[in-house]
Amino acid sequence: MSASTSTAPRIEFNPLTSAIRALAMDAVQKANSGHPGMPMGMAEIAEVLWRRYLKHNPINPQWADRDRFVLSNGHGSMLLYALLHLTGYDLTIDDLKSFRQFGSRTAGHPEVGHTAGVETTTGPLGQGITNAVGMAIAEKVLAAEFNRPGHAIVDHHTYAFLGDGCLMEGISHEACSLAGTLGLGKLIAFYDDNGISIDGDVEGWFTDDTPKRFEAYGWQVIPDVDGHQAEAIEQALLAARAEAGKPTLICCKTRIGMGSPNKADSHDVHGAPLGEAEIAATRPHINWHHAPFEIPADVYAAWDAKAKGAAAEAEWNRRFAAYAAAFPELAAEFTRRMASELPADWAGASAAAIAGIAAKAENIATRKASQNAIGAFAPLLPELIGGSADLAASNLTLWKGSKGVSKSEGGNYLYYGVREFGMTAIANGLALHGGLIPYTATFLVFSDYARNAIRMAALMKQRQIMVYTHDSIGLGEDGPTHQPVEHVASLRLIPNLDVWRTADATETAVAWAAAIERQNGPSVLALSRQNLPTVTAGVAAETIRRGGYVLSDCAGEAQVVLIATGSEVKLALDAQAALKMDGIAARVVSMPCADVFDRQDADYRASVLGKCQKRIAIEAGHPDLWRKYVGLKGAVIGIDRFGESAPAPKLFEFFGFTVANVVATVKGIL
């Protein structure tokens, strides 16, 4: 829906908003790259929120009860960088001058952990608002758990800016629908309705009635707000903050590139510098008579939020001290969790839980083993919050202590519905907020729906545990639409993502513990539908933690090394026995997580793979990853085509996952 410009009252440019516009256009011009239009168009909205209502402390960007701010339309990153700089964060004018340059703190799109004050990495449209939904859920869940009458220690808003692109992306439908269902009253989104995207006027391809859409989701919608009139913006924001039972969408009519006399309202200002001539014309038009990157002292003083932020945090600290006096155990637990620390007894308790699982030696599917691990670990970790994309009964993600989050209550389990992409990005928001460790679940084949959010979890180094069941042709009759022949291999391509494909209950429990303990990235657990026997009897958990290990060795020097994962580990052991009958000595290596194995030192990796250059990898999935381990003298038994609809045993036989084929392949390379 295009923004109307003909009837809009003339804006009186003031130095506070002109500073944003000038910094945005100057930085983009200096970089000869970037998006000046959105920062210039949202300057008034940003001024009202950031100067008057946002609860934050530039001196301590990680203050637990700060408001969270998400720039979902992250291409307009210079808006956020200008705000961070002006309000007093550790982001200098030289950083702004280095916008989009190698090694700078002002990357092309905002990156969490890279720039102080940035709450999440945005740029892939729609994921920022979805992260914001996760942050708002986290606030709701933690408030329900920790707040007590007269002691509201978790009490903050989540604000998001978003544009037409975010609303066109399907993920926004998934996330905003769930946000309405859960009644996230502390989630407030500002829609930058400027009617322009990269290709031009959006009326040619985006004519949704956005207010009605969000009303249908169960949001409070405040339509037709003049995004350049501070009083109108403030009144809308006050109405949003007064609504406790619904999230709010404030629809702001804006002009992209506002202040540019010749390029405003045009896609020309969306993703390209204004140009020296237009910048020269814009400066007097916005009453800005300063050199590039020059900000007067009085403007800095008016924007500076350090004293106000420090006072707000000090007041919260006083309230938290009173809370700690009244509820010392809750206060200690809250402090631990917001510091991302595991319980003091975690190491011993988790080791005991793994030992108990190993002692049972159950012949079960690894998805069931995963449920058992959740049941063992969740009582030790109140911060664990799970969920599944409408497949809890198949993914086995519920445990006896699961309590669903609802509109009226907190809990530790989210029924996401069929929203794989939304689920994964919401869980990223849960992790980014702090105080929670999220796990999500679906069938492995549907990880494709979530892939960019998986990638973002890895890029942002967020701890999310992704339970993906039905991991191979072993799911059988559902056929090739549901058989994930390429998915494990493709997930292993994502940097900083640990992909575990486990062979039995013990490996699964160890993978769960490793994923919980990993604080610098997400983990995938690819789990079987079919029952698998115990193969790790006598193997220490610390050995499994190394990602790859010698499961069964031979007497003397091995003539061949069999490397396997998941359900194929038992096949490798059976083939080892058959080869021994033929006088061929084989070593069996279980490699539940190649990513972890590759991080081990060279000596350890060499000790596992051995000196033998004749190696065969066995996995019911795409074979390409394994070629780096088997080399030119080895072979891979895998699947490089789509599956078939048939019972699992027939499929394993058809695709060559038999002892006879492994033995024949070994003899073929010897």
Side-chain angles (χ1 to χ4, degrees), residues 167 169 172-173 206 208-217:
L167 293 175
E169 289 284 0
S172 72
H173 297 256
F206 183 53
D208 297 15
D209 190 327
T210 296
K212 287 185 179 179
R213 169 184 155 192
F214 274 76
E215 286 174 359
Y217 290 157

Side-chain angles (χ1 to χ4, degrees), residues 476-525:
E477 293 87 346
D478 275 344
T481 60
H482 284 57
Q483 292 167 6
V485 294
E486 76 273 29
H487 293 71
V488 170
S490 69
L491 288 169
R492 289 184 181 127
L493 295 175
I494 298 177
N496 197 42
L497 177 67
D498 284 356
V499 180
W500 294 82
R501 184 167 184 256
T502 53
D504 67 3
T506 304
E507 282 196 353
T508 304
V510 171
W512 256 105
I516 288 167
E517 293 165 14
R518 186 177 189 228
Q519 296 205 24
N520 64 345
S523 302
V524 161
L525 277 61

Side-chain angles (χ1 to χ4, degrees), residues 227-252:
H228 301 300
Q229 296 297 320
E231 182 178 353
I233 297 163
E234 185 167 25
Q235 290 304 309
L237 180 53
L238 288 171
R241 288 165 60 90
E243 173 55 70
K246 297 180 179 181
T248 297
L249 180 71
I250 302 174
C251 300
C252 297

Side-chain angles (χ1 to χ4, degrees), residues 1-5 35 37-38 41 73 75 125 162-166 168 191-206 252-258 263-272:
M1 298 172 65
S2 179
S4 173
T5 60
H35 301 74
M38 185 279 272
N73 40 359
H75 54 275
L125 293 174
L162 69 159
D164 291 308
C166 292
M168 283 186 262
Y191 169 29
D192 177 32
D193 184 10
N194 61 40
I196 298 293
S197 65
I198 291 176
D199 281 351
D201 192 321
V202 300
E203 286 187 345
W205 48 86
F206 183 53
C252 297
K253 294 288 186 179
T254 62
R255 299 180 62 190
I256 191 169
M258 181 62 167
K263 292 189 176 182
D265 306 312
S266 164
H267 70 280
D268 292 337
V269 76
H270 182 284

